[in-house]
Amino acid sequence: MYDFRGKNYWAIILGGSSGIGLASARLLAEKGMNLCILHRDRRADLGQIEDHFSLLRSMGIELLSFNKDALKPETRKEVLTSLESIQSNGGSIRLLLHSIAKGNLNPMNPNEEKQKRLSEADFRITLLAMATSLWEWTQGILELDLFSVDARVIGLTSEGNQKVWPGYGAVSAAKSTLESLIRQMAVELAPLGIRANAVQAGVTDTPSFRMIPQSDQLKEFARQRNPFQRLTLPEDVAKVIYLMCTDEAAWINGAVIPVDGGERLR
């Protein structure tokens, strides 16, 4: 299998302390890719997260981690400034993986007295977190010329981009926006050697998924729909993200790649 050791490649993972982001970090580290992970977690969870990061470092790669808000311009500047030094020994960014799962789940028509109706502000923060922040990070990397000659930008989308789930209005809009951005970037950034794609994971039991209203019912429905009668695992998605970083995947650009075992077909 393709290995990145000796190439001094780096991956920036936005949202890499759990779920698909962490699974991708593990597999990329196994294959020799250095990592810069951003996450936003409570102090009570940092011990377990640091255990995960210690395991990644034990694989012989370099790891930078930041428990900071990836949506803030000052965070982006700090992180990218810290990565400028990798150029001195031939390092470059091979992958920007957008795995931020910060979205508002307020319904458009509340059926409970205490529920808030989805607002314009809810849309605005969700669109920034789950869509347009991808372009902000891409732009920041471009300005510092940190991308590899053949770099990959990958965003995570879901079947909720087309289907209606309870309370998913803002997130659905963000996923659709993300896919539009990916298509535009695939064309406009191709002269710079950048390949931009989206990965559409099937229903995956992650901490962010469990926050969706009626997530248990969605999981059971997904199991029934799936030809393999199981949910998508973070590791299933991580394998595809790894494959997308190999030289052999260089001709894949502007695609939305389903990773769901055929779940979407039913």
Side-chain angles (χ1 to χ4, degrees):
M1 293 291 288
Y2 192 94
D3 196 277
F4 302 110
R5 296 186 192 280
K7 297 181 179 293
N8 205 356
Y9 282 152
W10 284 77
I12 297 179
I13 302 179
L14 307 178
S17 61
S18 64
I20 293 171
L22 180 58
S24 299
R26 281 197 295 261
L27 184 53
L28 292 170
E30 287 176 12
K31 302 300 182 181
M33 191 175 291
N34 301 311
L35 301 172
C36 177
I37 297 176
L38 278 88
H39 61 106
R40 190 65 170 150
D41 290 288
R42 300 174 303 172
R43 183 175 300 178
D45 298 326
L46 293 182
Q48 183 179 17
I49 291 168
E50 283 302 321
D51 288 342
H52 291 309
F53 291 171
S54 294
L55 177 61
L56 297 176
R57 291 188 178 94
S58 72
M59 298 177 187
I61 56 99
E62 293 186 59
L63 169 63
L64 297 176
S65 65
F66 298 84
N67 185 25
K68 293 179 178 288
D69 189 349
L71 306 182
K72 291 185 175 180
E74 55 267 33
T75 296
R76 188 167 61 252
K77 181 178 180 180
E78 176 187 352
V79 171
L80 295 181
T81 298
S82 72
L83 286 171
E84 281 190 279
S85 61
I86 70 175
Q87 293 178 313
S88 61
N89 61 351
S92 60
I93 295 171
R94 174 71 158 195
L95 169 67
L96 172 62
L97 174 61
H98 188 281
S99 183
I100 297 176
K102 180 180 179 180
N104 192 285
L105 297 170
N106 286 338
M108 291 181 170
N109 182 24
N111 56 18
E112 296 180 13
E113 185 177 342
K114 293 185 179 180
Q115 284 184 317
K116 293 183 179 180
R117 191 182 304 277
L118 189 64
S119 69
E120 189 274 337
D122 296 334
F123 272 108
R124 188 166 59 245
I125 187 61
T126 304
L127 286 168
L128 171 63
M130 304 188 79
T132 57
S133 58
L134 172 62
W135 169 242
E136 292 184 343
W137 276 89
T138 302
Q139 186 179 37
I141 298 169
L142 286 171
E143 288 173 350
L144 295 176
D145 195 26
L146 290 174
F147 273 124
S148 303
V149 173
D150 179 11
R152 315 298 160 89
V153 174
I154 298 176
L156 297 181
T157 187
S158 72
E159 198 177 12
N161 59 3
Q162 298 179 10
K163 295 193 174 182
V164 176
W165 293 343
Y168 210 70
V171 178
S172 179
K175 295 298 187 184
S176 297
T177 301
L178 176 72
E179 293 176 24
S180 296
L181 284 172
I182 289 288
R183 289 192 295 270
Q184 198 73 23
M185 291 164 63
V187 174
E188 294 201 31
L189 302 185
L192 303 177
I194 295 171
R195 280 75 170 160
N197 294 283
V199 170
Q200 179 177 304
V203 170
T204 311
D205 190 9
T206 63
S208 59
F209 176 80
R210 293 175 208 132
M211 296 176 65
I212 299 174
Q214 302 179 30
S215 60
D216 287 341
Q217 293 94 316
L218 288 171
K219 284 193 295 184
E220 184 56 34
F221 183 52
R223 287 192 187 93
Q224 294 173 8
R225 291 172 62 205
N226 199 294
F228 294 100
Q229 299 292 292
R230 71 166 175 85
L231 298 180
T232 300
L233 302 175
E235 290 75 17
D236 296 323
V237 186
K239 290 174 184 176
V240 173
I241 290 169
Y242 153 69
L243 290 172
M244 294 295 292
C245 293
T246 64
D247 290 347
E248 288 80 0
W251 208 234
I252 303 174
N253 190 34
V256 177
I257 302 170
V259 185
D260 63 2
E263 179 183 306
R264 72 199 180 283
L265 301 175
R266 292 184 172 181

